[in-house]
C-alpha cells in the first residue's frame, strides 16, 4: 500500500506494510553489516533458540515529524542501552549503541514516506528486535543472533480525547518473578501477561495493574506501562522495583515533573495507600500517558479525579512531552535525534 493512501489521523496501533526493514546478523563473534530487506519475512531454522527457549527481546520507540518538518527519533540511545540490559539478562549478544541507533535511522530513512506528517498526531513506531537464531536442542544460549528494526506507522492514541480508563489488580497472576526477568524487555514477559490481560478485559477493565510478585502488597506496573501517581502536595511518585521495566517515558516525565516544580519520589507504593493520589497515569511510548480513573484492589475501588477528564498535572506533563517530541517547544533536554 503506498503511504499516500494512508489516513494518518485514523490509523490504529497495528502492523501496516512498509518499504522494508533493516537487519544485521551476529556470527563467529561479530556483527555483520546492516542490510535492507523488502519482504516482511525472515527465513529461520526450525530449531532456532528464540522459537523454543525464548531468547528474544525487543524495544519500542517512535519517530516524529516536527513542526519545522524535520524527522526525529526520541532518545534512541536509551532504548539501545535497555536492549543491552535485556540481552545481558538472557545471555544474548546485543548491538552496540552506535549500531542500534544507526539501524533506527536507516529503518526510518528507507520508510521516510511512512513517517506521518506534522499535525496528524500520528508517528512512526519502530520495533527493534533481537533473537537467538542458532538451532539448539539442549537448553543453552545461541551463538548466532539477528538484530532487526521494523517499523509501522501508528495513529494518534487519543482520537477521542485524553480519556481515563479503569484498572484492576489480579492477584491470581504475576507478570514477573521477584528475581526473574521483569526488568528485561523480553518476549516471554509479554506471553505471561496475556492471560491476566484477557481476564481483566472480560471483567471490563482495559488494563491490569500488577502487584509486586513477592508479597502482592506494592504497586509494580501496568501490563505495558509504568505506574505514576500525583499527590495533592505535588509529588510525582513511581515505584522502584526489581521486577518492572525501566520506562524511558517515565524517566523523561520525571525530568519534566521536576522542571514543573514537583518533587519526584521513587520507591515502594503500597496498594492500600493508593488513596494518597489525586491523579494516576500509565506511561509508555505508545500513549505517553493514559490517565487512570480507578484501580480495583480486592474489594476496594480507589478513584482519582474525574471519570471523564484527565487531571491537570498529568495533562500538563503529557502536553510538555508531546510538545518536545513534535518540536512545538524547545528540546531543552536534548532528547531528539535527527534522522
Ligand atoms: C512492561 C512495560 N512497562 C513499561 C513500558 C513503558 O516503557 P517505555 O516508556 O520505554 O515505552 C512498556 C512499554 O514499552 C512495557 O512494555
Amino acid at each position: 500500500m503506498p503511504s499516500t493512501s494512508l489516513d494518518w489521523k485514523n490509523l490504529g496501533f497495528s502492523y501496516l506494510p512498509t518499504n522494508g526493514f533493516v537487519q544485521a546478523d551476529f556470527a563467529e563473534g561479530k556483527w555483520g553489516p546492516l542490510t535492507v530487506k523488502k519482504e516482511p519475512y525472515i527465513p529461520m531454522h526450525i530449531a532456532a533458540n528464540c522459537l523454543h527457549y525464548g531468547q528474544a527481546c525487543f524495544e519500542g520507540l517512535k519517530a516524529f515529524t516536527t513542526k519545522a518538518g524535520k524527522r526525529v527519533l526520541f532518545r534512541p540511545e536509551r532504548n539501545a542501552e535497555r536492549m543491552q540490559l535485556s540481552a545481558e539478562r538472557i545471555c544474548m549478544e546485543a548491538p552496540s549503541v552506535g549500531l542500534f541507533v544507526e539501524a533506527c535511522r536507516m529503518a526510518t530513512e528507507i520508510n521516510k514516506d511512512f513517517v506521518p506528517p506534522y499535525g496528524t498526531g500520528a508517528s512512526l513506531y519502530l520495533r527493534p528486535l533481537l533473537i537467538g537464531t542458532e538451532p539448539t536442542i539442549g537448553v543453552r544460549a545461541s551463538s548466532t543472533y539477528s538484530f532487526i528494526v521494523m517499523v509501522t506507522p501508528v495513529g494518534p492514541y487519543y482520537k477521542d480525547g485524553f480519556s481515563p480508563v479503569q484498572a484492576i489488580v489480579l492477584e491470581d497472576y504475576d507478570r514477573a518473578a521477584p528475581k526473574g526477568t521483569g526488568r528485561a524487555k523480553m518476549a516471554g514477559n509479554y506471553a505471561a501477561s496475556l492471560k491476566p490481560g484477557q481476564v481483566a478485559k472480560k471483567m471490563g477493565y482495559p488494563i491490569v495493574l500488577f502487584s509486586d510478585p513477592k508479597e502482592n502488597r506494592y504497586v509494580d506496573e501496568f501490563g505495558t506501562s509504568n505506574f505514576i501517581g500525583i499527590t495533592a502536595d505535588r509529588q510525582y511518585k513511581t515505584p522502584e522495583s526489581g521486577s518492572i521495566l525501566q520506562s524511558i517515558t517515565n524517566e523523561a516525565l520525571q525530568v519534566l515533573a521536576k522542571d514543573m516544580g514537583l518533587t519526584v519520589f521513587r520507591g515502594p507504593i503500597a496498594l492500600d495507600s493508593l488513596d494518597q493520589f489525586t491523579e494516576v497515569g500509565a506511561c509508555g511510548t505508545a500513549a505517553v500517558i493514559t490517565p487512570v480513573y480507578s484501580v480495583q484492589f480486592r474489594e476496594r475501588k480507589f478513584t482519582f479525579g474525574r471519570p471523564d477528564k484527565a487531571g491537570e498535572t498529568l495533562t500538563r506533563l503529557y502536553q510538555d512531552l508531546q510538545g518536545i517530541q513534535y518540536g512545538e517547544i524547545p528540546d531543552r533536554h536534548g532528547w531528539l535525534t535527527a534522522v
Side-chain angles (χ1 to χ4, degrees):
M1 199 193 329
S3 60
T4 46
S5 65
L6 291 176
D7 177 9
W8 303 111
K9 286 188 177 155
N10 290 306
L11 294 179
F13 194 76
S14 53
Y15 179 79
L16 287 171
T18 60
N19 297 334
F21 66 93
V22 298
Q23 178 173 349
D25 297 318
F26 181 93
E28 291 167 7
K30 59 179 192 307
W31 284 100
L34 285 167
T35 55
V36 174
K37 305 276 169 85
K38 289 206 156 45
E39 294 302 319
Y41 300 98
I42 43 175
M44 194 172 301
H45 195 285
I46 53 170
N49 184 304
C50 62
L51 299 177
H52 300 252
Y53 303 130
Q55 257 199 320
C57 63
F58 63 98
E59 275 302 325
L61 68 158
K62 283 180 170 177
F64 304 89
T65 305
T66 65
K67 195 172 179 187
K70 291 201 179 104
R71 278 184 293 276
V72 296
L73 293 166
F74 184 73
R75 308 192 79 190
E77 65 292 340
R78 293 294 297 126
N79 294 89
E81 286 160 5
R82 193 170 64 186
M83 179 168 266
Q84 291 184 340
L85 190 140
S86 301
E88 196 278 329
R89 177 64 181 82
I90 49 174
C91 302
M92 304 177 81
E93 287 294 334
S96 65
V97 172
L99 177 63
F100 183 102
V101 174
E102 184 50 29
C104 291
R105 273 185 209 267
M106 226 168 124
T108 308
E109 184 60 34
I110 61 166
N111 290 297
K112 59 175 179 249
D113 46 332
F114 285 95
V115 188
Y118 173 74
T120 57
S123 53
L124 186 74
Y125 182 69
L126 280 75
R127 170 53 65 80
L129 173 70
L130 181 65
I131 49 174
T133 50
E134 188 186 353
T136 45
I137 292 300
V139 179
R140 63 174 174 80
S142 175
S143 66
T144 60
Y145 294 91
S146 287
F147 169 54
I148 283 161
V149 180
M150 54 163 265
V151 305
T152 194
V154 294
Y157 214 83
Y158 298 108
K159 291 193 196 71
D160 309 316
F162 190 45
S163 52
V165 298
Q166 311 213 46
I168 187 168
V169 179
L170 292 173
E171 284 180 279
D172 288 347
Y173 299 96
D174 287 322
R175 170 186 170 274
K179 293 176 191 165
T181 55
R183 273 179 97 88
K185 199 165 170 66
M186 56 169 288
N189 292 343
Y190 295 82
S193 74
L194 293 176
K195 181 79 179 174
Q198 274 186 3
V199 170
K201 282 210 178 73
K202 269 198 196 136
M203 294 168 75
Y205 297 91
I207 59 173
V208 178
L209 178 59
F210 288 95
S211 53
D212 77 280
K214 192 169 178 191
E215 294 182 79
N216 285 148
R217 273 186 59 203
Y218 299 96
V219 174
D220 241 3
E221 65 174 331
F222 297 102
T224 57
S225 44
N226 274 185
F227 175 100
I228 54 180
I230 308 291
T231 61
D233 61 350
R234 291 178 55 73
Q235 291 189 67
Y236 175 115
K237 291 190 167 184
T238 194
E240 187 109 89
S241 152
S243 51
I244 67 178
L245 193 75
Q246 302 299 298
S247 156
I248 292 161
T249 313
N250 192 353
E251 187 182 298
L253 289 171
Q254 288 172 40
V255 174
L256 301 182
K258 284 185 192 152
D259 289 354
M260 279 167 44
L262 274 81
T263 309
V264 172
F265 166 89
R266 297 168 53 117
I269 298 175
L271 280 161
D272 60 14
S273 76
L274 286 176
D275 53 2
Q276 67 183 298
F277 296 115
T278 53
E279 299 177 48
V280 164
C283 71
T285 296
V288 180
I289 299 174
T290 299
V292 175
Y293 167 62
S294 67
V295 172
Q296 184 75 43
F297 173 51
R298 298 182 181 152
E299 66 292 342
R300 278 181 87 178
K301 181 177 181 174
F302 296 90
T303 59
F304 320 100
R306 286 174 44 176
D308 57 338
K309 198 168 180 284
E312 197 189 319
T313 308
L314 291 183
T315 304
R316 277 183 61 199
L317 284 167
Y318 172 81
Q319 287 168 347
D320 202 8
L321 188 51
Q322 286 251 287
I324 291 172
Q325 290 173 330
Y326 285 113
E328 290 159 350
I329 56 177
D331 176 20
R332 60 188 187 275
H333 296 290
W335 287 337
L336 304 183
T337 295
V339 175

